[in-house]
Amino acid sequence: MTESHAALSSIWKGASALLFDLDGVLTPTAVVHEQAWQELFDGYLAEAGHAGADGTGGYQESDYFDFIDGKPRFNGVRDFLASRGITLPEGPTDDAPDSPTVQGLGNRKNLIFNEIVSTRGVEPYAGSVRFIHAALERGLKLAVVSSSRNAPAVLKAAGLDGYFPVVVDGQVAAAVGLPGKPDPATFDYAAQLLEVSAAECIVVEDAVSGVQAGSAGNFRAVIGVDRGAGRQTLLDAGATFVVDDLNDLL
């Protein structure tokens, strides 16, 4: 029996529920976000005359990691524009997607993201789907806990919505007034909705902030899924153990 199998075997015994992050754990939606940002800024820069015919000054793949990744949507808009020496009015939070404002561009990005998800779909990680089935066979309850405000749409597009009776996403957190990760509040809230104690829940995360949230709470364990953060980084953040893919636990 491998170390991961042995660790999971001991954890299963007292577990009643699994609390999954979405992006990077169940679905590779970071790729969709990257596509949406590129479509947004390619379109805006062309409209505003900031991108030459040869592409000089246009959006580059590295821009996502340099100015956008991991930030709230509107901060990503501001920081990318600042990198090109562009300053736009802030605009109201519900500004129209075609408005040349920070809020308008952020709202346009969200529309593009949702359009990609609805028209092109999202393919879940195969190993994660097998892991979900294994958990259900053991009678565990399942929930998704995501910072994204698009979690229900992504789950539906990936064909996973039927597995999760509880979804605590960014919209739910805002409505209830819950702080986001690395605070464990959203995971605690999901456990309450599943009607199980935190001590009976296993948190499954790929992000450092999510692992920190699981470690900060009174959860049974935190499974770290290394999609690029690094095994030791996730262990240092508080993961009980780390795998490259949830299929490794089966």
Side-chain angles (χ1 to χ4, degrees):
M1 180 179 290
T2 67
E3 179 182 355
S4 294
H5 281 79
L8 186 63
S9 178
S10 66
I11 290 170
W12 280 138
K13 294 178 183 178
S16 298
L18 289 167
L19 311 179
F20 292 89
D21 181 35
L22 178 59
D23 181 28
V25 171
L26 300 177
T27 59
T29 36
V31 175
V32 183
H33 283 290
E34 290 179 51
Q35 292 173 347
W37 282 110
Q38 176 150 12
E39 289 188 26
L40 169 72
F41 286 124
D42 278 347
Y44 169 72
L45 292 172
E47 292 167 9
H50 291 285
D54 61 355
T56 302
Y59 183 86
Q60 307 295 321
E61 182 178 348
S62 59
D63 288 324
Y64 178 77
F65 300 99
D66 291 341
F67 307 114
I68 298 167
D69 187 30
K71 299 178 182 178
R73 188 193 319 154
F74 300 108
N75 289 353
V77 172
R78 292 187 201 94
D79 290 351
F80 171 80
L81 293 176
S83 75
R84 300 304 197 269
I86 302 171
T87 301
L88 292 178
E90 187 68 18
T93 56
D94 60 349
D95 212 352
D98 58 353
S99 294
T101 65
V102 169
Q103 299 290 329
L105 289 181
N107 292 334
R108 190 190 307 183
K109 183 266 174 180
N110 199 47
L111 282 180
I112 295 171
F113 175 85
N114 285 318
E115 181 181 358
I116 293 173
V117 167
S118 63
T119 60
R120 306 179 197 175
V122 177
E123 189 70 27
Y125 291 110
S128 298
V129 174
R130 286 192 285 271
F131 187 75
I132 289 170
H133 290 161
L136 290 173
E137 288 175 3
R138 290 179 174 271
L140 273 70
K141 298 180 178 181
L142 307 182
V144 163
V145 181
S146 172
S147 299
S148 171
R149 289 174 176 258
N150 300 305
V154 172
L155 286 168
K156 183 176 181 179
L160 299 177
D161 51 322
Y163 296 118
F164 299 99
V166 168
V167 177
V168 178
D169 68 350
Q171 293 194 66
V172 172
V176 180
L178 301 174
K181 305 169 188 178
D183 192 289
T186 50
F187 285 117
D188 281 327
Y189 188 62
Q192 292 173 29
L193 294 178
L194 288 175
E195 299 183 337
V196 298
S197 69
E200 298 173 86
C201 296
I202 300 173
V203 170
V204 189
E205 267 282 358
D206 73 308
V208 170
S209 61
V211 170
Q212 290 172 334
S215 179
N218 186 34
F219 302 104
R220 181 164 181 76
V222 181
I223 299 174
V225 184
D226 182 12
R227 304 291 191 192
R231 181 177 184 276
Q232 192 58 50
T233 297
L234 294 176
L235 289 171
D236 291 344
T240 309
F241 58 94
V242 177
V243 295
D244 292 331
D245 188 272
L246 290 176
N247 193 62
D248 298 342
L249 296 168
L250 302 176

